[in-house]
Amino acid sequence: MAAVKVINHTPFAPRLPKDVPLPPSPAESTSPPPPVKKKTRKSKMKEKEKIKEKVKESAQKQGEQKRGNTNEQHESEMPQPEPLKPLTWTSLTDSNSNSHPPIFTKDGSHFFSIVGERIKIHSTSSGKVISTLPGPQDDGHQDIITSAILSAYNAFQLITVSLDGTIKVWDFLEGILLHTINLEQPIHHVCGHEKIKDYVFVATAKAKKKGSGDGDEQPKPNRSAKVPSEESCIILRVSLKPQNPASGAKWHKSSQITPVGKTRYTAGLAVSASGEWLIAVAGHKAYVAQVSALKSGFTKYVSPDALTCLAVHPLEDYFATGDAKGVVRLWYCLNQGKPAVANVEKRSQTSELHWHAHAVSSIAFTMNGSYLLSGGEEAVLVIWQLYSGKKEFVPRVGSPIKSVVVSRGSAVEEEYLLGLADASFAFISSATLKLSRVFSRIKLDSITSSAWASSSSATPLAVHSLSSTLVLPSSHPSSLQTYSPSSSMLVAELEVSPSNRVSRQEEKMLEPSRVERVVISPSGEWMATIDRREGDESFRGEIYLKIWWWDKKSAFWILNTRVDRPHGLNKVTSLSFSPSDDIQLVTTGEDKNIKTWRIRSTKDKKGNIEVSWTSRSSFGFRLEIPRDSAWSPDGSLLAVALDGSVALYDSRSNALHLTIVCPECPKISSMHFIGHHGQYIAVFGGPNLVVCDIINRSVRWHRRHNHPYVTLVPHPYQDTFATIHHSPSATTNELIVYSISSSTPLLSQTLPFGIRNLVWYPAPNRLPRSRMFSLVGITHAFGVVLLGHDISVADEASSPTKALQKGVAVPKRSLFEEMFGVPALTDVSHNAVMSAIDTSLPWKSSETGSVFDAPAYLMPPIESLFEPLMNGFLKLRLKENVDEDHQSGTQGIADEMTTETMEIDEPAFIEIGKVSNDDILDTFIPFFKDMAGLPDYPFHSDTRPVALTLPTIPSSHHAKPAPRTVASQKPNLNASSKKEASTPSVPAKTGKKRSRHSLV
């Protein structure tokens, strides 16, 4: 056992009684002094303890002054590096997800999504962001966009409203802003109708201060400080025609604004299918006004619960609402007639549809109005059949549903688009009621993630070097997701701990199993995770250590070893892999044990080698709880952080080399090796930061900050490191970069967001020995940000606006194709377009049984199943393979018997795509001429008889080949030639050549 050495031990120097400061004298008072009480033994003992504490404090101050002097001497010995430039950052997640449903274009080829102050245009087939409308830096909105609709006047124009009080009209094909109308008050909802093309209805909130200025000035953002539920809104009818369009100002005022009425904060605003009624839902009431008599105001209909969403029937004049109790209610109040007294409360005939246990987030009618879709926190889409009251479900869509939209393009079937809480989009087929495709970037829900992370401070985050991806927490705490910053794509999602995705039962949140820690080995082949579920009165609790192996073929993590309760029911405090070739894994826990794990190789009965992980050793240090662990860069030392010291162990023998005591940091929370040589260790706990020299066994320097440190990230190649600590503001953090040579910061800057976890991110195209930093972190709002010098990432939000194509680019048909359809011999351009739209998966013979799991009324026609089913059993027969088979078959017959030379009609193979439309027309021109020359042709001008001759194309599709003859049989060449000449040829019907097995 190595000796324990105390670094910078300061001897205790007791102070004389005369040096002890006296307590301050009491303030002067006119009142008589209180009676003097006789000191008891307890009071005397308390006074002595207070004097001893003051003596200790003064001694510690003297020791800090001496250590400060030594720190200054150490710092003066080493050269001071140059200061660093401030770090820049970019967000990998959307700044603000909106609950407004996506908006489809008229042809359904694209849809719009609202992200903060921007509008993103997505492709319906691929989900990729095709274009982005200009943002705040250009002519876009200066505040959050709250709602958007397609223009009733022009289907290629988009109308957006924002909290900055403006209405903007866009040409989304070109990405151009047409004009802006300023209302000078925040706008929450907008709606319109084709019968009133020049007007829109908006729900505006009262602003505290109305903006004033000329038309050349940009309106200032005016966010309301009230909670949305406490706001009161005013419904206005606004004309889209500006007052003075020729003024050339950036924004204008509307030529006509008509107030309709006052409501609470609106949860929905829409116009009925006939365009005669305006409906708004707010609070516990539904507000209905007649469009032709807006001055009469609203008629109020009371709901028993607070309303959350609104949808109008596409064909009939009634609407549906969802409330906070999970009830979907149909209102038949639009045809009851105008009330005698305006602004009165009435009750309406309604019908209820109740399945949801929590609030309904969104509802939508199908195109024909026969079905109603609803979704909410349960992550289940409910499909209601209105005429029968029956319902169907699409469960486990992945995350709580925030919006539901129905889409129907010209070439595809009706689909349902779900906007999920984790900022992803899911398409559901109306025929199969299954998820057809899901588009997402990073699945993080700030609301649910914050609720789940409230009881645990650890946030998993790691970088995988082999795939250049990030391992992040997913929308559910029991899962992880891998994201590629270079391609801005979500690669995969890993369910570490299978668990129920039900969020809560009634009002009590269910305790899920959450992934607390994740670490990846330096080689990238192994990943270790810690997932835990806290126990309660009826549940004991679970904690698992799982080690995953990276499969390069499938590019996915495969579970290799699971260890139940590696440290009992106690919490695991640290987890790290060794960088050496003989890889080890170390875990520390609150059970006061330090455990190492190694790889074990065994052979099974067949001789295959199986690799797994097993326990290597377990030890502790003076019954103290280890808080953190770290390996030296060469893997020879293992450092363990204890309450007030750092213990260094040999990685092979687990022998204790030395212990570094840090009196400046009484409770160490984290530690790291600094630099690629591993000579220095940086530890922090609370507001204290200490840098120690292992070789000299001394404290390099100590710095005490006003606020506690959050995390520390060392530079892998330089003797510098970055720290994050709290700031006075709860929404910001301060980033400071230090060097081991001095406690003076090389860089200090304030970040406009809080950091939960921060790790090093190897930036591409950068020298490994560079002094620049490259970091990735998770914010308090569960956003992912890249920080560093010269950060570059493929950001969709910053991409320039691109012009869109009107619909799918389908090639024009020729005159022959318009008359007779697309021939089988032409190129496959049309098939390529249809294949791009078709989303069906390829069939396999082993998977055909799963087709018949669906109900009979949901299955496709049997004629559409035959061709894909046959493709799974039959092999494509190409021309080259047929020639080889023919040659091999002929050679085999020649070996068995002697045959004479004979002519055999070989089947003609015409490659698809080699014959053009002009060739086909040239082939049929003689045929058309012969038809026109017939005597009974009603439209010919010349009555001369013409012999009918069909076009000749070399083909033997309908001609039978001559049978093979042996030596005793003599073929009749003349007969065959006569038969060939007399037999007319027709265009060959080509297709996929297959070799079918004989059924005999």
Side-chain angles (χ1 to χ4, degrees), residues 104-111 122-125 409 805-808:
F104 279 94
T105 56
K106 190 174 182 180
D107 59 352
S109 60
H110 299 83
F111 66 91
H122 302 257
S123 172
T124 304
S125 58
Q805 295 181 357
K806 298 181 181 180
V808 183

Side-chain angles (χ1 to χ4, degrees), residues 812-822:
K812 296 183 179 180
R813 292 189 176 187
S814 62
L815 178 61
F816 177 81
E817 294 174 353
E818 292 292 343
M819 295 171 57
F820 303 100
V822 181

Side-chain angles (χ1 to χ4, degrees), residues 110 270 457 830 855:
H110 299 83
S457 59
H830 299 283

Side-chain angles (χ1 to χ4, degrees), residues 300 311 325 660 804 830 900 923 952 977:
K300 305 172 186 178
K325 295 295 184 180
I660 302 177
L804 301 182
H830 299 283
E900 295 183 1
T923 304
T952 59
S977 61

Side-chain angles (χ1 to χ4, degrees), residues 690-719:
V690 180
V691 175
C692 304
D693 191 340
I694 299 176
I695 298 178
N696 298 327
R697 300 187 178 186
S698 61
V699 173
R700 172 62 59 179
W701 53 264
H702 163 246
R703 182 179 179 86
R704 181 181 177 86
H705 204 273
N706 297 330
H707 303 281
Y709 288 88
V710 178
T711 184
L712 185 149
V713 181
H715 197 292
Y717 308 109
Q718 302 293 330
D719 294 337

Side-chain angles (χ1 to χ4, degrees), residues 758-776:
L758 192 70
V759 296
W760 181 267
Y761 176 71
N765 302 326
R766 180 174 295 179
L767 297 176
R769 303 296 176 181
S770 174
R771 295 178 64 242
M772 295 187 294
F773 275 78
S774 179
L775 309 170
V776 60

